[in-house]
Amino acid sequence: MSQENEQRLRFRDAMASLSAAVNIVTTDGPAGRCGITATAVCSVTDTPPTLLVCINRNSAMNPVFQENRRLCVNVLNHEQELMARHFAGMTGVSMEDRFRLEEWQLGALGQPVLRNTLASLEGEIEQIQSIGTHQMYLVQIKQIALSEVGNGLIYFKRNFHSVIHQMAVPA
């Protein structure tokens, strides 16, 4: 094995130790409707509210996101693991059928918003950069929906895990 390939595999193993929130990133518009499970999502700034979303360049979703120029990051709760698996392509369910499985609604920007998520953030793609194997989307958030209840879903060591929010007990 080449040193470069060994370094790539070691990097991937290291990143498996970096727990990350599980999201379904969706889009709808002139290029059609699609979605993908993503953990490479992070906050960039709160003024203006901006997220970074990274998607593998080999994904067939990239041209759809790029033409539609809008998307929604749906932050999943711990009960939505099966949806994460569907949108990760782990179950063989077609894209069309994925949007029939649970309750979806159109958000203020016309993007698919999954009900009962911890948060849904709709925005406009402001910049796209290619780095290595991924496309990086800088998304200015225009609409935010938050839930007051629910527990998190993370991806850690190549598997899904629930994050239970413990309420502090008064002493």
Side-chain angles (χ1 to χ4, degrees):
M1 178 183 312
S2 72
Q3 186 174 4
E4 181 179 317
N5 197 38
E6 183 178 335
Q7 185 75 346
R8 181 183 68 82
L9 294 175
R10 287 180 55 76
F11 181 79
R12 291 178 68 143
D13 287 342
M15 291 300 96
S17 296
L18 179 65
S19 56
V22 179
N23 310 279
I24 295 176
V25 182
T26 57
T27 188
D28 198 357
R33 179 174 64 174
C34 71
I36 191 168
T37 298
T39 56
V41 174
C42 70
S43 168
V44 174
T45 180
D46 65 356
T47 310
T50 303
L51 291 177
L52 172 69
V53 177
C54 299
I55 300 174
N56 191 295
R57 287 166 85 183
N58 292 330
S59 172
M61 311 304 164
N62 279 309
V64 181
F65 283 110
Q66 290 169 17
E67 187 175 334
N68 288 347
R69 302 294 297 182
R70 291 182 173 182
L71 58 77
C72 181
V73 174
N74 296 280
V75 182
L76 302 187
N77 73 50
H78 73 288
E79 295 176 334
Q80 295 174 314
E81 178 181 336
L82 184 57
M83 285 297 283
R85 290 181 181 280
H86 291 317
F87 277 86
M90 301 169 93
T91 62
V93 175
S94 72
M95 186 62 68
E96 188 176 309
D97 288 340
R98 294 173 196 178
F99 284 101
R100 291 186 186 135
L101 292 173
E102 286 200 26
E103 293 187 40
W104 291 88
Q105 60 189 24
L106 285 183
L109 297 181
Q111 300 309 293
V113 174
L114 180 60
R115 293 179 195 239
N116 302 315
T117 59
L118 297 178
S120 294
L121 301 100
E122 282 184 279
E124 297 176 354
I125 298 170
E126 297 293 323
Q127 291 182 38
I128 304 169
Q129 295 287 322
S130 293
I131 295 187
T133 59
H134 280 67
Q135 294 288 96
M136 296 185 344
Y137 298 89
L138 285 174
V139 183
Q140 188 172 350
I141 302 304
K142 304 291 187 181
Q143 185 70 31
I144 302 170
L146 297 171
S147 173
E148 297 296 321
V149 297
N151 295 300
L153 181 65
I154 63 168
Y155 199 70
F156 175 71
K157 294 287 187 181
R158 296 182 176 92
N159 209 345
F160 295 98
H161 302 274
S162 297
V163 176
I164 307 301
H165 179 264
Q166 299 287 332
M167 296 298 290
V169 178

